[in-house]
């Protein structure tokens, strides 16, 4: 046994150390948090501590487990929210059957003939005064007022005269205009949206020969019945094109490269919006500068994107598989339009026969399978004849004729 004096001395040293520790705690403050105090209280009562594992010093494994649990809970809540939105959308499609039909949209395209490109020697039949911008403005306004389009795609827009064009179109209800970023090039493409269109510009992207405008809205048929996270109207990708001019093989290859670049950017837009290629609503409108006999026109209709040289090789034998894309339909060759095509009272064909003064079709409006075609539009009767047209002239301001269609965008 330890002598009494030694035991008393050891007890005195222990009390001294405890006193020093208490003084240090009072001086520096206690490091125990309210969670520690609560855990100690529960432990004294013989219960399991009810502290937050992530905030106590129980080791990195416990913290990592708590973080994983929190992330799993967040993902589960997000999944439940998406499922509820899908169920709500399905219920609304039954309760509101007119919403399931879609929204009817009129799309028109027109090459204005840029003032930068006008040469009187190219149009000897036209008086020089009729080629001045001040004289042409009235004709452009008259033609656009007849179109009554919701979406208007324009090509050969003179950048210097952009403010004049915006003022002209604003008088006809087009207060929203988007101009292509051409990087100091004097001529661009543009897209104008009518004020009556219940859609807003969600995203814009400029390419070398195209302008991509993503339209998005929570309003369908004048009724906002879902939040922006459950948008019943799928994004609509409107592309105003003006491809490389020329009929040689080199020009065809450039047009293919421009379309390939455009499709690559469209795929990126769809990936951002969470839309699959087969369900995407895409509108290609503009001056394609190619005839219907061009192999690329055929490949677009068949749902592939193939270089002209590869298309020529395919006629002789098997080649590499072309790049798959959604099938595009020329609105003037859709089944609905061809079934209703007939001659009018003046003997003019209801089918499009030319869009350029030379008597050929080089302008198109094409839509993906996700968009339905109601009917095509030939605003000018000259487009229903095959003869060469002497335009521009005093009564018409461009060497291209406008075209369009009424399409249905599925919800």
């Amino acid at each position: 046994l330890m002598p009494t004096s030694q035991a008393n001395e050891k007890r005195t040293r222990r009390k001294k150390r405890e006193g020093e520790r208490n003084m240090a705690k009072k001086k520096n403050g206690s490091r125990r948090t309210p969670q520690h105090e609560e855990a100690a209280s529960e432990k004294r009562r013989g219960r399991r501590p009810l502290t937050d594992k992530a905030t106590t010093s129980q080791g990195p494994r416990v913290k990592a487990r708590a973080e994983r649990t929190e992330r799993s809970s967040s993902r589960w809540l997000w999944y439940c929210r998406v499922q509820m939105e899908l169920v709500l959308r399905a219920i609304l499609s039954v309760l509101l059957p007119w919403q399931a039909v879609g929204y009817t949209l009129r799309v028109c395209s027109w090459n204005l003939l840029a003032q930068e490109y006008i040469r009187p020697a190219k149009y000897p039949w036209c008086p020089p005064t009729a080629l001045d911008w001040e004289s042409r403005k009235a004709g452009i306004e008259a033609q656009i007022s007849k179109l009554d389009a919701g979406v208007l795609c324009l090509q050969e827009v003179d950048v210097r005269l952009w403010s004049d064009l915006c003022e002209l179109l604003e008088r006809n209800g087009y207060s929203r205009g988007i101009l292509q970023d051409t990087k100091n090039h004097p001529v661009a493409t543009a897209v104008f949206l009518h004020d009556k269109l219940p859609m807003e510009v969600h995203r814009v992207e400029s390419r070398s020969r195209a302008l991509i405008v993503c339209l998005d809205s929570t309003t369908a048929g004048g009724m906002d019945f879902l939040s922006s996270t459950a948008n019943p109207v799928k994004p609509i990708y409107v592309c105003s094109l003006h491809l490389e001019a020329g009929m040689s093989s080199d020009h065809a290859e450039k047009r293919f490269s421009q379309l390939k670049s455009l499709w690559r950017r469209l795929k990126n837009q769809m990936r951002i919006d969470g839309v699959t290629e087969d369900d995407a609503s895409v509108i290609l409108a503009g001056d394609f500068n190619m005839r219907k006999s061009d192999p690329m026109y055929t490949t677009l209709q068949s749902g592939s994107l193939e270089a002209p040289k590869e298309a020529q090789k395919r006629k002789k034998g098997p080649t590499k598989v072309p790049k798959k894309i959604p099938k595009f339909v020329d609105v003037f060759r859709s089944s609905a339009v061809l079934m209703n095509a007939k001659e009018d009272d003046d003997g003019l064909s209801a089918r499009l026969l030319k869009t350029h003064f030379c008597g050929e079709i080089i302008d198109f409006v094409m839509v993906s399978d996700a968009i339905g075609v109601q009917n095509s539009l030939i605003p000018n009767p000259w487009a229903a004849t095959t003869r060469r047209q002497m335009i521009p002239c005093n009564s018409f301001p461009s060497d291209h004729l406008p075209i369009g269609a009424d399409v249905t965008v599925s919800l």
Side-chain angles (χ1 to χ4, degrees):
L1 296 174
M2 184 182 298
T4 304
S5 60
Q6 293 181 4
N8 292 336
E9 185 179 354
K10 186 175 181 179
R11 190 181 302 110
T12 302
R13 288 197 301 267
R14 185 169 61 250
K15 289 183 178 180
K16 184 178 180 181
R17 287 195 299 267
E18 290 179 357
E20 291 175 352
R21 283 198 297 268
N22 292 334
M23 290 296 294
K25 286 183 180 180
K26 290 180 180 179
K27 183 178 181 180
N28 300 327
S30 178
R31 296 183 180 180
R32 295 172 67 87
T33 62
Q35 288 84 355
H36 287 94
E37 296 292 344
E38 184 179 356
S41 176
E42 295 291 339
K43 190 174 183 180
R44 286 194 298 269
R45 295 174 188 175
R47 302 177 183 176
R48 185 178 178 180
L50 301 177
T51 57
D52 186 2
K53 296 181 180 180
T55 58
T56 59
S57 57
Q58 298 187 18
R61 292 186 178 180
V62 177
K63 292 182 180 180
R65 192 183 305 117
E67 291 175 357
R68 287 196 298 270
T69 303
E70 185 177 357
R71 287 196 298 267
S72 300
S73 301
S74 300
R75 286 195 294 265
W76 174 250
L77 291 174
W78 174 82
Y79 175 78
C80 292
R81 180 184 179 186
V82 171
Q83 294 301 318
M84 291 179 62
E85 290 174 353
L86 292 176
V87 171
L88 180 59
R89 189 179 302 182
I91 294 173
L92 288 173
S93 66
V94 175
L95 297 178
L96 307 175
W98 63 87
Q99 299 289 357
V101 175
Y103 180 79
T104 302
L105 175 68
R106 174 167 291 186
V107 182
C108 292
S109 175
W110 190 21
N111 185 322
L112 296 180
L113 177 58
Q115 202 70 24
E116 182 76 15
Y117 294 160
I118 291 180
R119 302 291 182 269
K122 186 178 179 180
Y123 312 105
W125 58 82
C126 183
T129 55
L131 297 176
D132 294 336
W133 172 245
E134 294 299 327
S135 301
R136 297 176 61 220
K137 278 200 305 185
I140 291 174
E141 185 172 6
Q143 290 294 321
I144 290 177
S145 63
K146 295 178 183 178
L147 298 178
D148 191 27
V151 176
L152 182 61
C153 299
L154 301 178
Q155 300 83 46
E156 291 198 17
V157 175
D158 201 313
V159 177
R160 298 174 305 168
L161 304 173
W162 172 247
S163 58
D164 282 1
L165 184 63
C166 289
E167 182 181 350
L168 180 151
L169 285 164
E170 191 171 358
R171 291 198 297 266
N172 291 272
Y174 298 91
S175 60
R176 295 174 289 175
I178 304 100
L179 181 67
Q180 175 194 12
D181 182 7
T182 58
K183 297 181 180 179
N184 299 324
H185 194 274
V187 179
T189 62
V191 173
F192 281 88
L193 306 178
H194 201 280
D195 296 340
K196 67 182 180 182
L197 185 69
M199 297 180 185
E200 296 294 334
V201 177
H202 180 60
R203 196 183 302 109
V204 175
E205 184 174 356
S206 296
R207 304 304 298 164
S208 61
R209 287 285 186 158
L211 173 64
I212 305 173
V213 178
C214 176
L215 300 180
D216 199 3
S217 175
T218 58
T219 305
M223 205 171 172
D224 187 0
F225 56 88
L226 281 180
S227 65
S228 58
T229 57
N231 193 349
V233 180
K234 294 186 296 185
I236 305 173
Y237 304 98
V238 179
C239 306
S240 180
L241 310 177
H242 190 194
L243 302 183
E244 185 74 18
M247 297 303 168
S248 67
S249 58
D250 292 338
H251 292 130
E253 289 293 333
K254 287 184 179 180
R255 285 192 291 271
F256 166 74
S257 299
Q258 291 160 1
L259 277 177
K260 185 179 178 181
S261 173
L262 171 64
W263 182 248
R264 189 184 305 115
R265 300 311 304 168
L266 278 173
K267 285 180 62 177
N268 183 61
Q269 300 276 354
M270 298 172 195
R271 185 165 52 252
I272 294 173
D273 296 327
V275 180
T276 61
E277 295 182 19
D278 294 333
D279 294 335
S281 300
V282 184
I283 301 173
L284 305 180
D287 185 357
F288 284 67
N289 272 316
M290 65 181 181
R291 304 184 182 97
K292 290 184 178 181
S293 58
D294 194 299
M296 196 156 52
Y297 176 86
T298 305
T299 57
L300 284 173
Q301 306 281 320
S302 61
S304 61
L305 192 58
E306 187 176 27
K309 291 181 180 179
E310 294 295 331
Q312 293 295 333
K313 292 179 182 178
R314 186 174 296 279
K315 296 180 180 180
K316 301 178 181 179
T319 59
K320 63 181 181 180
V321 179
K323 185 179 182 61
K324 290 295 181 181
I325 62 172
K327 291 183 179 180
F328 283 91
V329 180
D330 184 352
V331 295
F332 287 92
R333 299 192 66 180
S334 65
S335 57
V337 173
L338 293 177
M339 287 177 60
N340 297 327
K342 59 182 180 179
E343 292 187 353
D344 59 16
D345 296 338
D346 297 331
L348 297 175
S349 172
R351 299 184 183 181
L352 182 68
L353 298 179
K354 74 166 178 285
T355 62
H356 192 244
F357 79 96
C358 63
E360 295 181 341
I361 300 175
I362 58 175
D363 301 82
F364 301 98
V365 176
M366 297 185 181
V367 297
S368 59
D369 281 342
I371 299 179
V373 181
Q374 290 188 355
N375 55 68
S376 58
L377 301 174
I378 304 179
N380 196 301
W382 293 339
T385 62
T386 55
R387 65 178 180 271
R388 184 182 176 92
Q389 203 71 40
M390 299 300 180
I391 53 176
C393 58
N394 284 321
S395 59
F396 196 81
S398 176
D399 57 353
H400 286 252
L401 298 170
I403 56 174
D406 290 330
V407 299
T408 302
V409 183
S410 300
L411 302 185

